[in-house]
Amino acid sequence: MNLRQIVELIAIVSAHSPNLIEASGPISQAALRRYEDYSQIRVRNWLKALEELPREIMETSAGRRHLVWQRAESTLIDVLAGGLVARVWGAVLTACDRSRRTLAAERIARTALAGQMQAQQGVLRLLVDGPHLTLERVVGLDRLRRRIERWTDLLLGHLVRRHALRDFAFDLERSLDFGEEQLRESWEPRHNRIWDLYFVCLRSAFPDTQLPGGIQGQWREELMHSILGCFPQELFLEDGVLKSVRLNRLLNAGARREGPPMPAKSTAARLAGWRGTRRRSRE
């Protein structure tokens, strides 16, 4: 899976997460254990790679150091993308636990997030004082980091506002702003169109950057499979597509509106503003 595919999959998970949160049955313990195991494996691998990178660069001849950084860049991006996964999925698991009055999923979620944050701190330290790291590479990675953080807050919006999960967001106010709009329109005809807009913007915002392959790629895919494995079979349609939140609630005779009907800056305007900001930063 490349970077765009990971963000898109987590966006799908976020959009359909109310179905899992409101489901009456327990989350698959086997899927939770796989998520916990592969999260730990990935964090250990990241930390080892980040620890060894400066020494490898210093031991490499000057003419080949850029090749070491080029190879390492995919791992740095993998760590940054892992933050989006750990925060959004962690918020979903925590909301599930709170709705069921249990604790196991939240514990796993917060442990996974703590490990990823440790790895991300290592990435940030390298961006500040990594040996022989060019300014051009720093600027590109930092721009991608900020973009991932903004989209993390967008995908967290409805979860943060509805379930008071402020510690999963990078920027609480930004996330609450999106959440207000998402919850207010969750029962309206525009709901699906808002998420459709998100997906259109997402595909243009994220490149299909290749992430580490081999065993690391297998671990990443197993992690994603564990996330999907937490959704019970009844939340899927016959063709394998997840049921929409609106359809699932109607089938279950749901009658709850979410979020206060307060004015908010439109999604289109906000995302347009982000694109303008990105263009100006590139200039």
Side-chain angles (χ1 to χ4, degrees), residues 2-276:
N2 61 41
L3 175 60
R4 182 188 299 156
Q5 291 170 331
I6 286 179
V7 179
E8 190 166 1
L9 176 58
I10 297 302
I12 292 171
V13 168
S14 175
H16 294 84
S17 63
N19 290 345
L20 180 62
I21 295 167
E22 296 168 8
S24 58
I27 299 175
S28 166
Q29 292 302 304
L32 279 176
R33 283 194 298 272
R34 287 199 303 274
Y35 177 72
E36 181 178 31
D37 290 344
Y38 283 104
S39 294
Q40 293 175 353
I41 290 171
R42 277 162 52 83
V43 167
R44 286 196 297 268
N45 179 261
W46 287 336
L47 293 176
K48 181 179 179 181
L50 294 172
E51 180 183 2
E52 295 176 350
L53 179 58
R55 183 172 61 252
E56 181 183 0
I57 292 170
M58 296 304 295
E59 292 174 352
T60 303
S61 63
R64 299 183 61 83
R65 284 170 179 159
H66 71 284
L67 297 176
V68 178
W69 274 114
Q70 182 177 336
R71 186 175 68 251
E73 188 170 292
S74 63
T75 298
L76 304 185
I77 295 173
D78 196 22
V79 174
L80 298 176
L84 181 145
V85 176
R87 287 174 182 272
V88 175
W89 183 237
V92 173
L93 290 179
T94 302
C96 286
D97 257 12
R98 293 184 180 181
S99 69
R100 292 165 173 79
R101 303 181 185 279
T102 54
L103 296 172
E106 180 175 356
R107 178 189 59 78
I108 290 171
R110 292 190 180 277
T111 300
L113 178 56
Q116 189 282 328
M117 290 175 65
Q118 183 181 1
Q120 180 141 338
Q121 286 299 315
V123 171
L124 297 180
R125 284 193 295 271
L126 283 173
L127 293 183
V128 171
D129 58 11
H132 306 286
L133 179 59
T134 65
L135 178 61
E136 180 182 6
R137 195 176 298 276
V138 171
V139 170
L141 285 169
D142 189 60
R143 183 180 295 129
L144 180 60
R145 175 190 65 82
R146 289 184 280 112
R147 187 179 307 153
I148 289 173
E149 290 180 2
R150 287 195 297 267
W151 277 89
T152 299
D153 288 338
L154 183 153
L155 299 178
L156 280 170
H158 61 105
L159 297 162
V160 170
R161 178 165 282 277
R162 185 179 180 195
H163 300 283
L165 301 174
R166 59 185 299 158
D167 45 339
F168 285 93
F170 283 106
D171 183 322
L172 177 60
E173 292 303 318
R174 181 169 61 192
S175 192
L176 288 172
D177 189 22
F178 278 111
E180 180 179 294
E181 185 168 59
Q182 292 161 5
L183 292 181
R184 187 181 66 251
E185 299 182 0
S186 62
W187 269 98
E188 302 300 329
R190 283 192 60 214
H191 176 65
N192 288 339
R193 292 204 295 272
I194 288 174
W195 282 94
D196 288 344
L197 175 61
Y198 289 168
F199 283 110
V200 170
C201 294
L202 181 159
R203 291 170 191 133
S204 64
F206 288 96
D208 54 356
T209 303
Q210 293 302 310
L211 300 175
I215 188 63
Q216 296 180 59
Q218 294 177 30
W219 293 337
R220 189 167 50 251
E221 295 212 4
E222 288 292 342
L223 185 83
M224 297 303 165
H225 289 158
S226 73
I227 291 173
L228 293 177
C230 290
F231 285 80
Q233 187 63 39
E234 59 266 24
L235 295 183
F236 291 85
L237 298 173
E238 291 183 359
D239 59 0
V241 177
L242 283 164
K243 293 178 182 176
S244 72
V245 174
R246 183 177 175 83
L247 172 61
N248 193 62
R249 286 177 176 163
L250 289 172
L251 291 174
N252 288 284
R256 176 172 54 187
R257 286 181 59 89
E258 298 177 352
M262 297 172 60
K265 188 176 181 181
S266 73
T267 302
R270 193 185 297 105
L271 290 173
W274 287 358
R275 289 195 294 269

